[in-house]
Amino acid sequence: MRSIDRVLKALEEHGCRPRRSGQGWKAFCPAHEDRKTPSLSVKYEDNKVLLHCFGKNCTPERIVSALGLTLSDLFDGPPAKSPPATEKAAPAGLKLAPGEHCTVYDVRDVQGELVAKHVRIDGPKGKRFVWTDPNGNLGLGGVKVEDLPLYASERIPSYSRERPVVVVEGEKAGQALLHRGYQALATVTGAATIPNPSVFEPLRGFRVVLWPDNDQAGLIHMSQIARRLRGLGIEVLRVRVPEGKPAGWDAADAEPDEIEALIAGAEPWDVAPELIPGHVYSASAVLSWPRRRADALVPGLIPVGTTLLCGRPKSGKSLLSLQLALGVASGGFCLAKVKCGEPRPVLYLALEDGPERIRRRLEELSDVATPPDGLQFAFSWPRGPEAFGLLSTWCEKNRGGLIIVDPIALLRIPSTKNQDLYLSDYDFLGQFAALSAAYETS
């Protein structure tokens, strides 16, 4: 069954009485009280159904949900990962090499005025880009690329503030989302350049979801955009690229169900961006860096960050560590009277203890707190770089959590004879500090 037939049938079954109107249909909207004048417009173009309700705050998501459908039901078969490339003649003065073809993206401002054309040229040797002015002349005629509007800015006046606006890198990724009915915009500057703050002014009052490309340049690009949006008082969320995706993976590579889940699961971009090796931050960027959510892990006892708990053998360090883990994971008390704050996830690496000893000790500490599921244990762990790779994976899923290593010596590779012990200790502990800085982990 074609998508349009599926939608019309669902509208009929829900009593919405779809009727022909011009090149499409009019129907009562199933998502709100609509029984006087039909407010839902239905069209079928390019093998997809277009839904537009003239009622306030009524979105395609609400409409298909009320019909018992999903957004993917609006497309015939698996939708293309992006619309078919529009082959156009090369602008005057631009010569294409054998095997090359070009796609021209119109860049318009919020009023719909054509500002520039971005020409993507694909060929056997990869892709390249060329700018032309509105008349097709090569170059931007003195306009700075940082001042150009976001791709699809002319659609902003029609976007609902009840739905998020997804900002991606590059027109191809933006077009892939627009093709599937999402409210989307795209930067046109390339990852190395950030649009000026004025470019984002039309997004005031919207909730913005940033979708970085899966590479270092893409992360830096969107991190800087996040700061500019926050500076305008705009709520910013982030799509987290699933593990295992190749470098450069973006919205144009995602499957329809994957896109829907990633956008729905976007999380606030309210933590400090990852520290990128070799990247330089301006003073204003440092001053706008989000503050840590707490000054102490256990108030008056243990600060946020990396802490060494030292003492003579058999002096009770492990039992104290386990009590700390219980208090932090449960949001309870430590040392019977120090409140630990809100519950946090805790990973306890009990590298000298087996499950039996930990079980006995948890039973002994049952008066402190009932062990919550947020308290996790591991009884063996690799050493060296592999150890910190696994810890990074845990931190990524448990930001702001606590890691306890007992004893820490079992994570490091033993020093060699000629190795400087100070530098060796510094480098080893520095890896914990890096985890803390990147993920607010203690």
Side-chain angles (χ1 to χ4, degrees):
M1 180 184 293
R2 294 188 310 163
S3 57
I4 184 61
D5 297 325
R6 181 164 51 245
V7 170
L8 293 175
K9 180 181 178 183
L11 287 168
E12 199 71 64
E13 290 174 348
H14 283 75
C16 298
R17 297 164 53 193
R19 297 292 181 266
R20 268 285 185 183
S21 176
Q23 296 184 349
W25 293 262
K26 287 283 188 183
F28 293 108
C29 181
H32 64 88
E33 289 296 327
D34 184 21
R35 289 296 176 266
K36 292 184 179 179
T37 303
S39 61
L40 179 63
S41 169
V42 183
K43 291 185 178 180
Y44 184 64
E45 297 178 2
D46 299 326
N47 295 323
K48 64 179 181 293
V49 177
L50 304 176
L51 299 175
H52 178 73
C53 180
F54 293 92
K56 187 177 180 181
N57 299 331
C58 200
T59 64
E61 289 93 339
R62 291 181 60 187
I63 295 168
V64 295
S65 177
L67 292 173
L69 303 175
T70 65
L71 286 174
S72 60
D73 289 317
L74 302 181
F75 300 87
D76 282 326
K81 291 186 176 179
S82 61
T86 303
E87 306 253 351
K88 296 188 178 181
L94 176 65
K95 293 184 179 180
L96 297 181
E100 288 188 330
H101 62 272
C102 66
T103 306
V104 180
Y105 296 102
D106 291 342
V107 179
R108 299 178 180 273
D109 62 20
V110 177
Q111 289 73 39
E113 291 294 323
L114 183 62
V115 177
K117 292 176 180 285
H118 206 188
V119 184
R120 175 184 171 122
I121 303 166
D122 291 280
K125 295 184 179 180
K127 64 182 179 182
R128 57 191 177 100
F129 292 89
V130 173
W131 285 105
T132 77
D133 66 15
N135 298 317
N137 301 311
L138 290 177
L140 288 172
V143 177
K144 292 182 178 180
V145 69
E146 300 97 308
D147 292 325
L148 290 174
L150 299 172
Y151 178 66
S153 285
E154 71 276 11
R155 296 175 180 246
I156 294 177
S158 68
Y159 283 169
S160 167
R161 295 179 188 272
E162 299 299 311
R163 301 170 59 200
V165 174
V166 186
V167 177
V168 295
E169 180 189 330
E171 297 93 336
K172 184 179 179 182
Q175 194 64 26
L177 294 180
L178 292 169
H179 180 61
R180 296 190 176 103
Y182 293 95
Q183 297 187 158
L185 301 167
T187 60
V188 299
T189 57
T193 306
I194 309 302
N196 284 326
S198 59
V199 172
F200 301 106
E201 283 283 350
L203 289 174
R204 286 184 185 270
F206 284 95
R207 190 169 78 259
V208 175
V209 174
L210 299 180
W211 186 324
D213 284 8
N214 191 34
D215 51 39
Q216 188 180 84
L219 179 60
I220 295 173
H221 183 64
M222 287 300 176
S223 293
Q224 293 174 322
I225 288 174
R227 286 197 289 273
R228 294 204 166 164
L229 290 171
R230 280 201 302 265
L232 296 172
I234 296 171
E235 181 184 358
V236 186
L237 299 99
R238 170 187 181 174
V239 164
R240 287 200 173 274
V241 176
E243 293 181 15
K245 297 298 182 183
W249 187 89
D250 62 17
D253 302 309
E255 299 298 331
D257 292 344
E258 200 169 32
I259 291 176
E260 195 164 351
L262 287 174
I263 293 176
E267 60 189 47
W269 201 324
D270 58 358
V271 297
E274 284 81 351
L275 298 176
I276 308 298
H279 184 63
V280 177
Y281 299 89
S282 67
S284 60
V286 173
L287 288 171
S288 66
W289 208 276
R291 297 180 184 274
R292 287 186 180 273
R293 68 181 188 183
D295 294 324
L297 183 68
V298 179
L301 187 62
I302 299 180
V304 170
T306 303
T307 300
L308 291 178
L309 178 59
C310 304
R312 290 178 305 205
K314 306 303 178 184
S315 58
K317 299 187 299 296
S318 294
L319 199 58
L320 175 57
S321 297
L322 188 55
Q323 188 185 114
L324 282 171
L326 271 171
V328 172
S330 64
F333 289 85
C334 175
L335 298 177
K337 62 179 181 180
V338 182
K339 186 73 170 70
C340 292
E342 294 298 317
R344 299 188 187 205
V346 176
L347 173 61
Y348 193 113
L349 304 187
L351 303 181
E352 281 188 332
D353 299 319
E356 175 61 23
R357 176 180 285 186
I358 292 297
R359 182 189 62 76
R360 282 202 317 269
R361 287 185 168 176
L362 287 174
E363 290 173 348
E364 292 171 7
L365 293 171
S366 60
D367 58 331
V368 174
T370 300
D373 286 340
L375 175 56
Q376 303 169 346
F377 292 92
F379 301 99
S380 63
W381 206 262
R383 292 175 181 258
E386 188 181 352
F388 288 95
L390 291 175
L391 289 176
S392 296
T393 300
W394 187 87
C395 291
E396 177 73 20
K397 298 175 181 177
N398 299 277
R399 288 174 173 262
L402 168 65
I403 298 172
I404 295 177
V405 183
D406 183 17
I408 196 171
L410 293 184
L411 277 197
R412 67 183 303 169
I413 295 174
S415 303
T416 60
K417 270 187 180 181
N418 298 324
Q419 194 169 12
D420 186 302
L421 291 180
Y422 172 78
L423 292 178
S424 175
D425 289 344
Y426 188 90
D427 289 343
F428 178 66
L429 294 175
Q431 295 180 79
F432 286 102
L435 287 176
S436 180
Y439 302 107
E440 295 194 17
T441 304
S442 297

